Amino acid sequence: MEGVRLVCAFEQPEHPAIGTDSGQLAGGKPNGVLITGGPDVKADVIIDFTTPEATRRLLILGAQEDIGLVIGTTGLKAADHAAIDDAAESIAVVQSPNMSLGVNLLFALAARTAKQLGDDYDIEILEAHHRFKKDAPSGTAMGIAHAICESTGKDPDADLIYTRHGHHDVRERGKITMQTLRMGDTVGEHTAFFSTLGERLELTHRATSRDTFARGALRAARWVGKQAAGRYSMADVLGLEED
């Protein structure tokens, strides 16, 4: 992508990929940037798709070295978000559970739809990923849920339901149910259902290649490298206006 250059790629110091050309490791042509055990050159932005534990360390590194971050790591907890807030006091950070343009439009559309339709419409969120994914529901599904909750004044801790089994009473008005599928090599599929007696609206995003996430992350990196310290989202990167 124009305006972006890879200058360093690093892993845990004991990782077996240390010393491997990062281009070849990614399945492409050699690029001359070897995998190291830590950042060994000055960079403007770190792109982070790792684990919450690694993200916390990278936030410390970014704040110490004045390096912005683009964080796509999922499975973050409240303490992780607090760490991002702390780091964003001194560096620019873009954090999103999904970097694709389409998914971030889905966040905005789902929020607006829920606000317009109200509790007369039942909301269900269904997500599907490959069999190897570790967190459930996905960060993207949680992003949809939180966008809806924010737009409607709901409490994620009280109004999200994560599973159903056995005998239950009728569906409780105003609740949002999350459903998770893990199967094969599914890249990522998310649907927000809005259903009432007589009609159903579905908002669906299907990722068919992980390249879409990489392109979004690069776009975010190019953008955040020019921003003042603060915490940003992909909505900021894309200039999506909120109601």
Side-chain angles (χ1 to χ4, degrees):
M1 176 178 287
E2 183 178 353
V4 179
R5 182 169 64 92
L6 179 66
V7 297
C8 180
F10 56 96
E11 254 293 356
Q12 297 283 4
E14 68 277 9
H15 197 277
I18 299 297
T20 304
D21 185 279
S22 59
Q24 287 182 309
L25 187 63
K29 297 179 180 179
N31 59 19
V33 178
L34 303 183
I35 304 295
T36 67
D40 55 3
V41 295
K42 177 63 177 177
D44 297 316
V45 179
I46 295 172
I47 296 178
D48 168 40
F49 284 80
T50 55
T51 64
E53 295 77 14
T55 295
R56 288 192 287 270
R57 293 194 293 270
L58 290 174
L59 286 165
I60 295 171
L61 173 66
Q64 290 176 340
E65 301 295 330
D66 192 27
I67 303 173
L69 265 77
V70 172
I71 300 174
T73 299
T74 59
L76 301 178
K77 304 299 183 184
D80 301 312
H81 287 288
I84 294 173
D85 289 336
D86 289 341
E89 294 182 3
S90 58
I91 59 174
V93 181
V94 170
Q95 185 269 322
S96 176
N98 194 300
M99 294 290 168
S100 87
L101 171 59
V103 161
N104 282 277
L105 285 172
L106 176 59
F107 292 158
L109 290 170
R112 182 170 184 176
T113 301
K115 183 177 181 180
Q116 293 292 330
L117 295 180
D119 285 343
D120 285 339
Y121 284 71
D122 303 324
I123 302 176
E124 302 267 333
I125 298 172
L126 174 66
E127 61 99 344
H129 282 86
H130 52 87
R131 65 174 65 166
F132 304 106
K133 187 168 178 60
K134 295 180 179 179
D135 58 317
S138 70
T140 300
M142 293 303 299
I144 297 170
H146 281 277
I148 291 172
C149 287
E150 185 174 352
S151 71
T152 57
K154 296 184 186 299
D155 179 2
D157 292 331
D159 293 321
L160 298 184
I161 298 171
Y162 295 96
T163 186
R164 292 192 188 100
H165 65 275
H167 177 76
H168 290 271
D169 294 329
V170 296
R171 193 185 201 284
E172 187 175 350
R173 179 181 172 89
K175 299 296 184 181
I176 301 170
T177 305
M178 316 285 289
Q179 305 285 354
T180 296
L181 302 178
R182 292 291 175 264
M183 51 189 183
D185 59 356
T186 306
V187 175
E189 299 182 4
H190 297 84
T191 298
F193 298 87
F194 301 86
S195 184
T196 191
L197 302 179
E199 69 174 3
R200 182 174 74 216
L201 172 65
E202 300 178 13
L203 301 177
T204 297
H205 178 273
R206 293 186 179 90
T208 56
S209 169
R210 290 179 177 82
D211 289 352
T212 188
F213 310 127
R215 286 193 296 270
L218 290 174
R219 182 165 173 174
R222 186 171 60 184
W223 183 89
V224 78
K226 302 175 183 178
Q227 305 306 311
R231 180 170 181 170
Y232 303 97
S233 68
M234 283 298 288
D236 298 309
V237 175
L238 301 173
L240 298 177
E241 295 184 0
E242 298 182 359
D243 290 334

